[in-house]
Amino acid sequence: DAGITQSPRHKVTETGTPVTLRCHQTENHRYMYWYRQDPGHGLRLIHYSYGVKDTDKGEVSDGYSVSRSKTEDFLLTLESATSSQTSVYFCAISGGRGGDEQFFGPGTRLTVL
Amino acid sequence: GQQVMQIPQYQHVQEGEDFTTYCNSSTTLSNIQWYKQRPGGHPVFLIQLVKSGEVKKQKRLTFQFGEAKKNSSLHITATQTTDVGTYFCAGPGGATNKLIFGTGTLLAVQP
C-alpha cells in the first residue's frame, strides 16, 4: 500500500464542535483528495489539492474547509460539525495528471451526535 | 453535471457463478478506472482502460471499455469468496485532476 495515513481513525463528537481530520503521505504525490462515503452514495469528493496551498472544491464541499501547507499533509476541517456529516472519510493521493490512479488511506469513521 | 451510474447496486451469487457489473457515464470518458473495496477497507485500484473497445483481463476478471467510451463492464468468472466487496468504476471529472466515482456494486458470494 502507498504511504498514506489518516488520523484519527475513529472519532465521536457532538454537534457544533469543530473537527479536523489529517491526511499524511510519504509518496511526495502532487494531488490529494478528501472523499466521504455514505451508503447509497458511493464516494463523493469534498475538496482536493493540486499543490501546496492550491485547493479547490468538490461536489459536496459545503460545511468543509481544507488546508495544505506542506506537500505531505492535507487537513480537512468541519468548522461546526452536524449530524449529516457523520460518515467515513477517505483521503486519496495521485501523482500525475487527469485520470491517474488514486491511492486511498485507511479512512476515518466520524460520528456526530 | 457529469454522472457515473453503476448497476446493479447489489448482487448475491453462489460461489462459482459468474458476476457482471455495468458502468455508464453521462459523458464521453478519456479513460475509466476500476476499484475494489473489501468490507471495512479502503478502495484499491484495479485497472485503467483508455482505448475505445479495450478489453483487459486480470486472471478471472475481465474489464471492457465501450466503443463510445461512455460505458464499461467488469466480469468475474467463477466467483470466489475472496471476490466479496464493492466494485467502483470512476472516470475523469472535467478538465481538472478529479475522478467521478460510480455508486458501486456490492458483491456477496455465498460459499
Side-chain angles (χ1 to χ4, degrees):
Chain A
D1 285 344
I4 312 171
T5 56
Q6 291 184 232
S7 58
R9 293 293 313 280
H10 302 271
K11 186 171 182 66
V12 179
T13 191
E14 294 190 348
T15 298
T17 60
V19 176
T20 296
L21 308 183
R22 180 183 184 232
C23 178
H24 179 78
Q25 61 146 328
T26 57
E27 304 295 322
N28 200 35
H29 278 21
R30 176 182 176 186
Y31 297 92
M32 299 185 75
Y33 313 83
W34 277 108
Y35 294 91
R36 61 177 290 174
Q37 185 172 38
D38 306 287
H41 291 278
L43 291 157
R44 293 183 291 175
L45 182 65
I46 305 171
H47 281 280
Y48 68 105
S49 170
Y50 45 95
V52 173
K53 297 186 179 179
D54 291 324
T55 65
D56 204 350
K57 296 179 180 180
E59 61 179 309
V60 290
S61 59
D62 288 349
Y64 302 94
S65 63
V66 290
S67 66
R68 191 172 178 196
S69 59
K70 299 184 291 184
T71 298
E72 57 267 34
D73 289 325
F74 193 31
L75 304 181
L76 176 70
T77 297
L78 291 65
E79 300 291 346
S80 178
T82 67
S83 58
S84 65
Q85 293 175 311
T86 292
S87 186
V88 178
Y89 292 85
F90 286 101
C91 173
I93 63 175
S94 71
R97 295 174 299 179
D100 279 0
E101 63 188 282
Q102 293 188 8
F103 300 95
F104 284 78
T108 294
R109 183 172 294 277
L110 176 67
T111 302
V112 184
L113 302 175
Chain B
Q2 180 184 356
Q3 290 186 322
V4 178
M5 305 299 293
Q6 276 184 260
I7 54 171
Q9 281 193 312
Y10 172 79
Q11 181 114 39
H12 179 233
V13 300
Q14 293 286 127
E15 189 172 20
E17 291 181 338
D18 291 357
F19 159 78
T20 304
T21 175
Y22 300 92
C23 177
N24 293 285
S25 170
S26 59
T27 61
T28 301
L29 301 171
S30 59
N31 67 78
I32 194 153
Q33 298 178 20
W34 284 91
Y35 292 77
K36 177 183 178 181
Q37 183 178 21
R38 295 182 186 276
H42 59 275
V44 175
F45 173 80
L46 293 177
I47 205 162
Q48 177 174 285
L49 305 173
V50 178
K51 299 176 183 178
S52 169
E54 187 172 14
V55 178
K56 287 188 176 181
K57 293 188 176 183
Q58 289 180 348
K59 297 183 179 179
R60 294 176 296 104
L61 278 61
T62 301
F63 304 84
Q64 187 166 7
F65 201 8
E67 293 290 340
K69 302 184 78 172
K70 293 184 71 174
N71 58 76
S72 181
S73 64
L74 159 59
H75 179 82
I76 302 178
T77 303
T79 54
Q80 300 176 359
T81 55
T82 53
D83 296 325
V84 165
T86 301
Y87 293 85
F88 294 98
C89 62
T96 53
N97 197 58
K98 298 184 296 186
L99 285 177
I100 305 297
F101 280 82
T103 46
T105 296
L106 174 60
L107 172 64
V109 180
Q110 184 167 354

